Amino acid sequence: MTVCYPIVDVGLFPASYETARQHWLTRVAGVPGSHRHLEFECPGEGPAGEALFTDSVWMGSDDAEAVLVIIAGTHGVEGFAGSAIQLDCLRLLQQGHLQQPDGVALLFLHALTPWGYAWCRRCDADGVDLNRNAVDFSAALPINDGYRQLKSALWADDEALRFSALQAYERNHGRRALEIAVSGGQYLDPEGPFYGGQTSAHGRLVCEDLIERYALAERRLGVIDLHTGLGPYGYGELICDHPPDSGAAELAARWYGDALTLPLAGTSSSVPKTGLLDYLWHAVMGDSGCYVTLEFGSYSTEQLFDTLLRDHKLWAAKDNEAERIAHRQAMYRHFCPSDPAWRELVLFRGRQAVGQALAGLGA
């Protein structure tokens, strides 16, 4: 059966966290049927002194056998595109163009890292990357020897020195090892990128609350976590961090087809990482559900690293507010390009992935 959706609206991409939240709340209120909205206040405030919240809404029957969870803003600044996809889905639901199969509920999580969203950063106010935070903090924390070796070079003001050190590491260990060293997750440098923290972050606590509140371990689950900034320009890669030989990976392949990629199999633009939010959800879904990251590429990996390193250096310095404000725009441009064609691709692919997941859960 062919479904005819209305044309995408690139005007759904918000200009700020506060605008996104207000539009999201308005759109949620306009969707017919029963739904339950919860808000989770986050410590800190936005640039204009605004309060910060992660919002969730459950749409569907309380006793739904299956649930599709759609997450926006795991990495704060990546929430602009995530908001747009959620707003588009809510509009389609409101207009009757998107149908929930019988027995399937929808759970939207908006701005999972609201501080980073408001300040155009990937991390929270403590520098914690939520997508490296799902580790056991009661045990010894993971060690990233590669980051330890490269830390001084990464923080060097001399770009030529940094480039030379990264090149040397790649020659000695390979490109995959270099990317794991830089972005795989580290737990020793709070001011550095991809820092997993020392305790559970706000977004992790929200997820744990909702998993318990809605008894999600007792339901069949599909999770789509919306991200931007890695991979080919405008392409939405469906990344599955389940083990390649697992029932969950097999299920994801049935839902999403041959476009699915697996870091652990070496088929993804993403390398294996420590402490992904995925792992928190893997533990409750087993092989009866699957979790995918829908990652929209923008600019090169080298530009991604440069932009993030610049961001962390500016925040570590603490005395250069004007430069930080200027760099916010660079962060926004990398993670949410203003190009209407890029934004159209994001919305089209978002609709496609949500439709595939609903079909899979309803089968």
Side-chain angles (χ1 to χ4, degrees):
M1 181 179 68
T2 301
V3 179
C4 295
Y5 287 145
I7 191 168
V8 296
D9 177 9
V10 297
L12 293 173
F13 283 78
S16 69
Y17 157 79
E18 184 64 18
T19 299
R21 182 169 192 250
Q22 292 308 314
H23 287 177
W24 190 90
L25 291 171
T26 299
R27 189 65 71 178
V28 163
V31 176
S34 62
H35 49 265
R36 191 186 317 170
H37 168 235
L38 298 171
E39 60 180 27
F40 300 84
E41 188 164 8
C42 175
E45 58 184 30
E50 69 270 31
L52 303 172
F53 298 90
T54 294
D55 291 281
S56 75
V57 64
W58 174 280
M59 295 183 170
S61 171
D62 287 345
D63 60 0
E65 177 196 354
V67 185
L68 175 59
V69 183
I70 304 175
I71 303 174
T74 296
H75 287 141
V77 68
E78 300 173 30
F80 293 99
S83 289
I85 290 173
Q86 289 199 357
L87 289 168
D88 187 55
C89 288
L90 291 167
R91 181 176 69 133
L92 295 176
L93 286 166
Q94 184 178 10
Q95 296 172 350
H97 295 290
L98 181 62
Q99 300 293 328
Q100 292 174 238
D102 290 341
V104 179
L106 282 163
L107 178 59
F108 291 88
L109 277 65
H110 183 259
L112 201 52
T113 302
W115 186 91
Y117 195 154
W119 290 94
C120 286
R121 302 197 71 200
R122 287 174 86 255
C123 59
D124 68 12
D126 297 315
V128 175
D129 181 333
L130 175 59
N131 219 27
R132 306 294 185 274
N133 186 245
V135 297
D136 181 359
F137 289 106
S138 68
L141 292 176
I143 296 173
N144 184 337
D145 283 326
Y147 184 86
R148 193 192 302 272
Q149 293 176 43
L150 290 171
K151 179 183 173 182
S152 60
L154 291 172
W155 284 96
D157 292 327
D158 186 334
E159 291 187 12
L161 174 63
R162 181 168 72 248
F163 182 72
S164 176
L166 295 177
Q167 272 196 322
Y169 193 93
E170 183 175 358
R171 281 196 306 272
N172 293 331
H173 304 283
R175 178 69 184 190
R176 181 181 172 90
L178 172 64
E179 292 192 18
I180 291 174
V182 176
S183 67
Q186 54 88 12
Y187 299 84
L188 58 86
D189 182 14
E191 293 182 332
F194 309 104
Y195 172 62
Q198 301 291 313
T199 189
S200 296
H202 165 82
R204 176 176 176 173
L205 296 174
V206 169
C207 289
E208 290 173 340
D209 181 294
L210 292 171
I211 287 168
E212 181 178 358
R213 185 186 299 266
Y214 292 120
L216 296 184
E218 301 170 16
R219 310 177 196 253
R220 289 187 298 113
L221 295 179
V223 181
I224 300 176
D225 191 1
L226 304 167
H227 287 256
T228 65
L230 179 67
Y233 187 82
Y235 178 66
E237 180 183 353
L238 284 160
I239 303 172
C240 175
D241 281 284
H242 291 282
D245 59 351
S246 66
E250 181 182 344
L251 182 66
R254 289 206 303 271
W255 289 8
Y256 300 108
D258 291 342
L260 190 77
T261 68
L262 294 94
L264 290 173
T267 60
S268 175
S269 63
S270 175
V271 295
K273 297 178 172 70
T274 302
L276 293 174
L277 188 64
D278 309 43
Y279 304 147
L280 180 72
W281 292 86
H282 289 185
V284 299
M285 66 175 49
D287 285 339
S288 64
C290 60
Y291 186 117
V292 295
T293 296
L294 181 53
E295 177 84 49
F296 292 96
S298 56
Y299 302 104
S300 70
T301 302
E302 287 74 17
Q303 185 172 335
L304 168 65
F305 288 166
D306 286 346
T307 303
L308 286 179
L309 283 171
R310 173 74 173 158
D311 176 67
H312 282 276
K313 287 179 180 179
L314 288 172
W315 279 85
K318 304 185 189 328
D319 59 354
N320 46 10
E321 185 176 358
E323 289 182 85
R324 281 193 209 167
I325 291 172
H327 191 68
R328 263 191 249 157
Q329 295 306 310
M331 291 286 286
Y332 185 96
R333 284 194 301 272
H334 186 92
F335 293 101
C336 188
S338 59
D339 177 8
W342 186 89
R343 296 183 171 193
E344 286 178 357
L345 289 168
V346 167
L347 293 176
F348 275 123
R349 185 67 161 136
R351 289 178 178 183
Q352 184 182 56
V354 168
Q356 289 172 309
L358 285 173
L361 285 168

